[in-house]
Amino acid sequence: MNLKKILSAILVLFLACSITSLSADARWFEKYSSFVPSNAVGENEVWVGTFQLVWNDFQDKIVKAPVKFEEGTPKLVEELNRQPFKSDMLSDNSYFKAYGEKSLKLKEEIENGLMEKFGEKSAIIDSIDWTSGQGYVVYAMLKKEFKYLSAFPEIEAAQFNGSGESVRYFGIDKNTSNPTLYQNVDVLFYNSANSYAIKLKTKEGEEIILYRTDDNKSFDDLYSAVMKKQKRFWFGKKELGEQDLLKVPYIKFSKQFSYDELCNKKIVGTNGLFIDKAIQTVEFGLDNQGGNLKSEAMVISTMSLIRRDGGREFFFDKPFVLFMKEANQDRPYFALKVKNSDLLEKVSKQ
């Protein structure tokens, strides 16, 4: 067999393996992927896995069956019942969970557990009456703090997607002279000036994936696209070079969400159990040093119904998506769509 035939055979084998791998990715996502419930924050959108964690325990430990409502089960509940995100997709030191009958004893267990593990107090457990009525509480907190391998410099403030106001950015510009900063960044793919993704690495093993895109698709489809495009970028340059630039906005926000569509509906097979309250909080920050994420979620149920030139520019100054996952896991635990400057840290006016 001559060299040309050998090379052709190798190419066919490579393409076959790539197609098989992509098909496997598609099957994995079909079975496991579901970033629900995600929430609107203005024009932006956010998802974090804490509510899924409490739903898993509510389903497995309280209802002890897939949750169904007597008046009809919405698609959101069907997706939650699939349990696409579980606690074994997180390191043990990053989350705390508790469940049981609603009582002051359980409240004290949650308070002591959070203080012992994170040195934190809950922002939501005082929002319910722990002494009235029969029922159950399922609770979870996820907390992450991370630092880049090297701190980035703050670079010139600028608008975000034509926002009309300047926001703060960090990264690598033409004035940056520290070559160690390139170790912070892996290039996942660079297909064009408007389609690229990078990964910011941290000392703690957290990975921050930034995907520049205008696609207004679900988090499932967007993360799947990153994985597929990364696999197809086998011939591309995976490291930042001296001609490459990077610009990432500072992000900071804190929100609370209520899932009223899950409440006050009788659950099949539970002798009158209802979800009285379903809430989740998200606090997220990203800056030139690193960042932090803290999220709580809680489900309360009761037994009765109660109411440079030549270089690539990795500029995240237009709509982008951010995913966070642990380095040894396939599944993200946080996702964020940034469409405008509402969640970004503004430049202080002098």
Side-chain angles (χ1 to χ4, degrees):
M1 184 179 292
N2 60 32
L3 180 60
K4 184 176 181 180
K5 290 183 178 180
I6 293 174
L7 292 175
S8 297
I10 292 173
L11 179 59
V12 170
L13 180 61
F14 173 79
L15 291 174
C17 291
S18 297
I19 292 171
T20 300
S21 178
L22 291 174
S23 298
D25 287 342
R27 290 194 299 270
W28 185 90
F29 261 84
E30 182 179 346
K31 183 176 181 181
Y32 295 107
S33 176
S34 184
F35 289 81
V36 296
S38 61
N39 294 280
V41 186
E43 294 181 1
N44 307 287
E45 191 174 343
V46 63
W47 170 88
V48 62
T50 40
F51 192 79
Q52 184 68 66
L53 294 183
V54 298
W55 188 269
N56 296 347
D57 283 349
F58 180 67
Q59 178 181 342
D60 296 342
K61 309 294 177 57
I62 307 301
V63 180
K64 299 182 180 179
V67 178
K68 296 180 180 180
F69 297 146
E70 288 190 355
E71 61 188 65
T73 304
K75 185 173 179 57
L76 171 59
V77 173
E78 293 177 353
E79 290 295 316
L80 289 167
N81 286 343
R82 290 173 51 222
Q83 302 190 5
F85 184 80
K86 297 185 177 183
S87 58
D88 61 7
M89 298 175 180
L90 289 165
S91 57
D92 290 340
N93 62 1
S94 64
Y95 71 91
F96 171 84
K97 298 193 303 173
Y99 75 93
E101 293 187 8
K102 183 171 63 171
S103 65
L104 291 174
K105 180 180 178 181
L106 178 59
K107 181 185 180 186
E108 184 178 1
E109 177 187 335
I110 294 172
E111 290 173 329
N112 292 339
L114 292 177
M115 186 58 61
E116 180 179 347
K117 193 157 195 175
F118 300 130
E120 291 279 356
K121 293 183 178 180
S122 170
I124 60 175
I125 63 172
D126 285 332
S127 65
I128 64 173
D129 184 350
W130 290 85
T131 62
S132 65
Q134 293 182 325
Y136 301 91
V137 175
V138 186
Y139 173 88
M141 176 186 281
L142 168 66
K143 184 177 181 181
K144 295 281 188 177
E145 294 181 346
F146 51 91
K147 298 289 186 182
Y148 308 126
L149 305 183
S150 300
F152 287 100
E154 183 163 357
I155 60 178
E156 185 178 3
Q159 294 185 14
F160 179 87
N161 198 35
S163 60
E165 55 187 343
S166 293
V167 302
R168 298 175 68 187
Y169 286 93
F170 65 89
I172 300 172
D173 63 13
K174 62 183 179 180
N175 299 315
T176 304
S177 59
N178 184 357
T180 63
L181 292 175
Y182 299 131
Q183 299 174 14
N184 284 341
V185 185
D186 283 344
V187 177
L188 302 183
F189 66 87
Y190 185 91
N191 293 338
S192 72
N194 274 307
S195 178
Y196 45 81
I198 64 166
K199 176 173 65 181
L200 301 181
K201 296 180 288 185
T202 67
K203 297 176 181 178
E204 296 79 7
E206 312 298 334
E207 297 178 346
I208 298 91
I209 297 170
L210 301 173
Y211 173 30
R212 165 67 193 109
T213 180
D214 287 315
D215 289 343
N216 191 25
K217 298 180 179 178
S218 68
F219 283 129
D220 294 349
D221 291 338
L222 291 167
Y223 189 67
S224 180
V226 172
M227 293 179 64
K228 292 177 180 178
K229 290 178 181 181
Q230 178 186 2
K231 284 185 175 292
R232 292 169 180 159
F233 196 63
W234 60 274
F235 57 87
K237 183 181 178 183
K238 299 297 183 68
E239 303 84 20
L240 286 188
E242 293 182 357
Q243 299 298 311
D244 295 331
L245 308 177
L246 174 68
K247 181 162 68 173
V248 181
Y250 285 63
I251 304 173
K252 187 175 184 180
F253 69 93
S254 177
K255 295 291 180 181
Q256 178 170 317
F257 308 101
S258 297
Y259 302 106
D260 296 336
E261 65 270 36
L262 304 177
C263 299
N264 299 337
K265 296 178 175 66
K266 191 173 181 180
I267 299 173
V268 173
T270 60
N271 296 321
L273 189 68
F274 295 86
I275 295 175
D276 180 32
K277 183 179 290 188
I279 56 178
Q280 182 180 36
T281 65
V282 185
E283 297 178 29
F284 180 70
L286 189 75
D287 59 27
N288 65 316
Q289 304 281 336
N292 61 275
L293 169 67
K294 185 171 74 172
S295 176
E296 294 182 85
M298 185 166 59
V299 168
I300 303 97
S301 58
T302 59
M303 297 304 295
S304 59
L305 181 58
I306 306 174
R307 305 267 350 148
R308 268 94 104 131
D309 292 344
R312 301 167 294 182
E313 294 180 344
F314 297 89
F315 285 3
F316 294 90
D317 57 357
K318 294 180 181 179
F320 68 93
V321 184
L322 181 152
F323 296 99
M324 287 185 63
K325 70 179 190 68
E326 295 184 355
N328 60 345
Q329 297 288 348
D330 293 322
R331 173 77 179 171
Y333 56 78
F334 179 75
L336 176 68
K337 289 181 186 177
V338 181
K339 297 182 179 180
N340 59 32
S341 62
D342 288 353
L343 310 182
L344 308 183
E345 192 169 333
K346 309 300 189 298
V347 177
S348 300
K349 295 182 179 180
Q350 301 297 324

